[in-house]
Amino acid sequence: MTADDPLAPPSADDAVVARLIAFLRHEGADARGHAGERTLIDHLIGTYEVLRRWEQPAAIAHAALIHSVYGTDVYARPLLPLSRRHELIALAGEEVERLAYLFSVTPRGPLFAGTHAWLRDLPRRSVGEPGAASDPPASRDESDALIVLHMANLA
């Protein structure tokens, strides 16, 4: 992918994309079904490509590549347990992984129905081990990014 051609497929010039796709393949995302006859990796790359076409920041586009690896309120088949978050942080960076984490724990209905006024009280989906510490709630910018990420996910 180049800045001149956002519709081009991901390429080695974006090291984060290359690392994440290799990691996802290693973890079996290309053998796991998602929404009909697509594979999970096809869905993740497709969501990434939508965000690139929409000219979104790299962090949001990169988060698309891992947005449902922990499972969601709709896709309850996690590829990775939360205990492996550190691996994705090392591959993608903290900001990118945090968006994927927030995508996992934030139910869609309340997110789509709300405004920033209720952001701190947004209910969260329980994931991972019981009693595990949770991250702070999404900031306003993270909430905006989640809405865009969800729109691309649905597109």
Side-chain angles (χ1 to χ4, degrees):
M1 168 152 311
T2 68
D4 297 330
D5 185 4
L7 297 177
S11 66
D13 66 336
D14 187 334
V16 173
V17 170
R19 283 193 310 263
L20 288 174
I21 290 174
F23 177 80
L24 291 166
R25 285 197 170 114
H26 180 266
E27 295 299 321
D30 53 351
R32 184 175 289 217
H34 185 280
E37 297 185 24
R38 296 176 77 191
T39 64
L40 177 58
I41 200 162
D42 290 338
H43 168 69
L44 297 172
I45 291 172
T47 305
Y48 165 81
E49 290 171 344
V50 167
L51 288 163
R52 293 299 296 156
R53 284 194 304 275
W54 292 351
E55 299 179 2
Q56 292 300 301
I60 297 173
H62 291 161
L65 287 169
I66 57 173
H67 73 270
S68 57
V69 297
Y70 302 128
T72 70
D73 58 340
V74 175
Y75 185 70
R77 297 182 57 205
L79 183 66
L80 298 175
L82 288 178
S83 61
R84 294 184 61 192
R85 286 183 71 187
H86 65 281
E87 293 177 53
L88 285 181
I89 290 169
L91 289 170
E94 287 185 38
E95 179 184 12
V96 171
E97 188 281 335
R98 176 154 162 86
L99 287 174
Y101 167 79
L102 289 170
F103 190 92
S104 173
V105 300
T106 306
R108 292 176 193 200
L111 179 69
F112 290 162
T115 66
H116 292 295
W118 54 259
L119 185 60
R120 293 246 173 248
D121 297 324
L122 185 68
R124 294 208 242 162
R125 190 175 76 84
S126 177
V127 294
E129 298 78 29
S134 65
D135 282 13
S139 69
R140 184 178 183 137
D141 288 343
E142 289 170 332
S143 176
D144 290 345
L146 284 177
I147 292 288
V148 171
L149 189 54
H150 271 291
M151 289 169 51
N153 176 62
L154 294 172

